[in-house]
Amino acid sequence: MKYSQINNSLFIENRQNFASQMKPKSLAIFNSNDIYPIGADSTMPFQQHRDIFYLSGVDQEESVLVIFPDSPKEKHREILFLKETNAHIAVWEGEKLTKEKAFETSGVTTVYWLQDLEKILFELMTQSETVYINTNEHYRANVETETREDRFTKWLKNKYPAHQVAKSNPILQKLRSVKDAIEIDLMQQACDITEKGFRRILNFVKPNVWEYEIEAEFMHEFLRNRSKGFAYTPIIASGNNANVLHYIQNNNQCKKGDLILLDVGAEYANYSSDMTRTIPVSGKFTKRQKEVYNAVNRVKNEASKLLIPGAYWESYHVEVGKLMTSELLGLGLLDKADVQNENPDWPAYKKYFMHGTSHHIGLDTHDYGLLHSPIEPNMVFTVEPGIYIPEEGFGIRLEDDLVVQPSGEPLNLMRNIPIEVDEIEDIMNS
C-alpha cells in the first residue's frame, strides 16, 4: 500500500465494538471485494470492501474475516482467512500478506489460509445459532453486480439453512458513522493532500486550459503524496458545465471570463475527502460572480454552525433552505411572491439549489450513517451549498468536510484550503 501502516488498535477496537452488539452464540462473516474484469485479461484496480477494512485493516483480495465472540475455543473468536502466498505469486503480483504481517496489520491472532475456510467454518457453525451476513443497505445503494459477498451469502444460507440469519449492516451503519481519532487523522491527511492539489491548480489555470489538464494536475499531486488518486470521479466543470450536477466528462476548454467548478477529493488509506471550490478562469471574478459566490459562502458558513450534537437531518436541511432562500432573494433570483406561492414539497429555492447540503463522509465518500438518528460528536459531514444559474452561464458550489464537536462549531478539516474570493484571486495572480 502507498499509505503508512495504520495503528492496529483502531481495528481491534472496531471489532470489539461490533462484537458487543452481536446476539449470543452468533458469528459474523465479512468478505473482500472481487477484482472486477474489464475484458480479455484486463481488470479494474482492486478496491477493498470498506467493511472488512474497517474491521481488520486488511487491504487484499480473497480475504475473509470471522468474528465469533462466544466460540468455545478462544483462538476462534476472531479469524482471518487469507489467500496463501508463495514465491510464484510474489514474482508475478508482489508479496501478499503473510500470517505474521496479517497479525501486525489487524491484531487478529488466528490466521488460516483460505483453502481451510469450509473445514473451519463447519466447526464454527456447529457451535453457533445465528450468522450475521453483510448486506449493503446504504440509502444511496443501487448495485446490479453480484458481489463476492452476495455469492458467499447464497452459498452459506444454502449450506446451513437451519441457522438464524441476522444483518451486520445496521450495526456497521451506527459504528462507522462515528469516527475514531485515528480515522479523523487519516481524513485530515486526505484533506491535506487535496489542499496541495488545489493550490497547484490555482497556479496552473489560465484561459484556454482544458478541463482534463486540470484533472491531470490534481492526479499528479495526489499520487506524489501517497494517495491512490481521487476518492470519487472528479468534476472539473467550466462555464455552463457547472450546472450539470454530475458532469464528469471533463473534456471542454476553459474560456476567459468563465468560472470552473472543481468537485474533487483525494483518498488516503481508503478514507475520503470531498472538496468543492469554484474559481475564475481569468483569475478575477466579475462583480456578479462575486455576489453569487459570497452568497454561497455565507450559506456554507451558517449551515456549518448547525451541525451540532442532537440536531436531526431533516430539520437541518429545512434550516439551510431558509438560509438559501434569503440569499436568493437578495440576489434577485427569487421574489417574495415565489416564496409565498411555493410548493412545500419543492420549495422555491430548489430552482437554484436542487441537491442536499450535507452527507456523511469517511471510508466511503457517501459514508454510512442513519439519517433518522440525531447527529453525534465525531460524525464527519460535508457541507456543500450551491447556486446554479444556467441563464447566466455559471454555477457555484463550495464544500468543506467538518467534524462535529461535543459543543460549539464543528472542526473544519479543510480550514487551510483557500476559499475566500480575495485569497483565491491573490494566489491566481501572484
Side-chain angles (χ1 to χ4, degrees):
M1 298 302 111
K2 291 185 174 71
Y3 55 87
S4 300
Q5 183 166 318
I6 301 168
N7 188 325
N8 67 19
S9 65
L10 171 65
F11 310 116
I12 293 169
E13 183 178 2
N14 290 346
R15 291 194 299 276
Q16 289 173 345
N17 289 339
F18 185 92
S20 70
Q21 297 190 42
M22 294 173 65
K23 297 177 180 181
K25 299 191 72 173
S26 66
L27 63 85
I29 307 176
F30 302 90
N31 279 269
S32 290
N33 274 335
D34 284 318
I35 299 177
Y36 290 98
I38 297 172
D41 64 344
S42 300
T43 60
M44 299 179 70
F46 175 68
Q47 284 275 1
Q48 181 59 294
H49 194 301
R50 299 309 192 233
D51 290 335
I52 193 174
F53 183 83
Y54 176 79
L55 293 166
S56 72
V58 170
D59 207 348
Q60 181 174 296
E61 73 281 5
E62 296 185 60
S63 303
V64 179
L65 171 68
V66 175
I67 300 175
F68 186 10
D70 294 336
S71 171
K73 293 183 179 178
E74 185 175 351
K75 71 174 185 176
H76 282 170
R77 290 173 188 170
E78 296 181 342
I79 308 172
L80 271 173
F81 293 90
L82 303 176
K83 179 180 179 179
E84 184 173 6
T85 189
N86 55 45
H88 177 78
I89 290 173
V91 168
W92 284 91
E93 300 179 26
E95 291 185 5
K96 302 294 182 182
L97 287 172
T98 62
K99 292 183 178 181
E100 294 74 21
K101 187 64 177 178
F103 166 69
E104 183 182 333
T105 298
S106 67
V108 175
T109 56
T110 302
V111 182
Y112 294 115
W113 298 129
L114 192 60
Q115 63 200 32
D116 295 324
L117 174 64
E118 288 196 36
K119 178 181 70 176
I120 302 296
L121 187 60
F122 178 80
E123 177 185 346
L124 304 181
M125 294 295 277
T126 63
Q127 298 164 347
S128 62
E129 296 175 356
T130 301
V131 59
Y132 281 82
I133 61 172
N134 195 28
T135 52
N136 185 349
E137 298 181 19
H138 188 273
Y139 67 99
R140 292 186 183 223
N142 182 22
V143 182
E144 294 184 7
T145 304
E146 185 177 56
T147 66
R148 186 180 188 87
E149 197 81 86
D150 295 333
R151 295 196 306 275
F152 183 85
T153 296
K154 286 201 298 190
W155 172 84
L156 185 73
K157 291 169 73 175
N158 183 65
K159 179 78 172 177
Y160 301 100
H163 275 70
Q164 298 177 49
V165 174
K167 300 188 298 183
S168 297
N169 194 260
I171 300 175
L172 288 168
Q173 289 268 10
K174 181 68 173 174
L175 294 179
R176 278 183 49 185
S177 67
V178 179
K179 305 306 189 268
D180 182 271
I182 293 174
E183 294 183 285
I184 292 170
D185 181 63
L186 293 168
M187 294 181 71
Q188 182 67 73
Q189 291 185 67
C191 291
D192 291 345
I193 296 170
T194 300
E195 177 192 353
K196 291 178 180 179
F198 183 58
R199 290 184 181 276
R200 180 187 183 96
I201 68 96
L202 286 177
N203 293 311
F204 173 79
V205 167
K206 58 186 180 298
N208 299 321
V209 73
W210 291 81
E211 292 166 347
Y212 56 76
E213 293 181 297
I214 298 171
E215 181 178 348
E217 292 296 309
F218 273 112
M219 179 60 90
H220 178 102
E221 198 65 27
F222 291 176
L223 289 176
R224 71 192 294 265
N225 283 282
R226 305 186 74 172
S227 165
K228 283 185 295 193
F230 294 102
Y232 53 92
T233 305
I235 297 169
I236 315 290
S238 62
N240 243 327
N241 293 334
N243 295 310
V244 180
L245 296 182
H246 293 110
Y247 171 83
I248 57 173
Q249 287 77 15
N250 303 344
N251 61 2
N252 279 13
Q253 198 169 27
C254 304
K255 302 299 185 182
K256 180 180 178 180
D258 277 350
L259 298 179
I260 313 171
L261 189 155
L262 307 163
D263 191 337
V264 301
E267 73 81 48
Y268 180 76
N270 292 318
Y271 283 85
S272 293
S273 65
D274 190 354
M275 176 201 75
T276 307
R277 294 292 186 268
T278 306
I279 65 173
V281 174
S282 304
K284 289 285 186 180
F285 292 90
T286 67
K287 181 176 182 293
R288 177 60 169 173
Q289 290 168 349
K290 189 181 297 187
E291 288 174 348
V292 178
Y293 186 102
N294 287 333
V296 174
N297 202 17
R298 284 191 295 270
V299 174
K300 185 190 75 69
N301 291 336
E302 293 303 311
S304 298
K305 298 174 185 177
L306 300 176
L307 288 173
I308 58 175
Y312 279 86
W313 192 251
E314 188 173 346
S315 301
Y316 163 76
H317 280 93
V318 170
E319 292 304 310
V320 176
K322 294 176 183 177
L323 294 170
M324 181 59 77
T325 299
S326 177
E327 293 292 349
L328 293 172
L329 287 167
L331 291 167
L333 292 169
L334 294 179
D335 58 34
K336 290 183 179 179
D338 293 323
V339 178
Q340 290 168 352
N341 298 322
E342 69 182 10
N343 178 352
D345 295 328
W346 191 256
Y349 76 84
K350 289 285 190 180
K351 179 179 180 182
Y352 298 100
F353 175 39
M354 60 293 295
H355 58 79
T357 309
S358 298
H359 57 77
H360 292 81
I361 182 170
L363 278 169
D364 289 294
T365 303
H366 296 128
D367 205 29
Y368 283 179
L370 300 170
L371 301 187
H372 58 270
S373 298
I375 292 173
E376 298 180 39
N378 290 334
M379 288 183 171
V380 186
F381 292 96
T382 65
V383 177
E384 50 181 310
I387 295 176
Y388 309 93
I389 320 174
E391 57 271 24
E392 297 186 32
F394 68 89
I396 294 172
R397 181 165 68 250
L398 300 172
E399 177 182 23
D400 285 334
D401 301 344
L402 307 175
V403 185
V404 178
Q405 301 296 291
S407 62
E409 295 184 22
L411 170 68
N412 188 348
L413 297 177
M414 295 184 164
R415 59 197 175 277
N416 296 324
I417 302 180
I419 195 168
E420 299 298 331
V421 164
D422 292 345
E423 187 178 10
I424 288 172
E425 289 184 339
D426 288 347
I427 296 172
M428 294 187 76
N429 291 282
S430 61

